[in-house]
Amino acid sequence: EYIRSVYFNKLETARFSSSVEKFVGFTEQGQKYAEDCNSDASIVAGMRATKEIVCQHYSQSIYDNARTRP
């Protein structure tokens, strides 16, 4: 799962979660940020692409290393 959080003054205001595939806001400011990001398809598509690049690449290499160890 890929999670990208947005913080303001050490408080998590919004988060993108690949399991939900959209931004979720936790504060009033975070909800506005999430609405803006979710309404722009290119931002959400970029986050999905980042998940594929980062998570799937590294999970495959970790799996391969685990299989080759005695």
Side-chain angles (χ1 to χ4, degrees), residues 1 6 10 26 30 33 40 48 50 55-56 60 62 69:
E1 180 176 10
V6 179
K10 299 181 182 180
F26 299 111
Y33 179 80
D40 188 350
R48 289 180 188 148
T50 302
C55 296
Q56 293 176 352
Q60 183 63 43
I62 290 169
R69 292 189 180 186

Side-chain angles (χ1 to χ4, degrees), residues 55-66:
C55 296
Q56 293 176 352
H57 170 75
Y58 286 112
S59 64
Q60 183 63 43
S61 63
I62 290 169
Y63 177 75
D64 292 342
N65 286 339

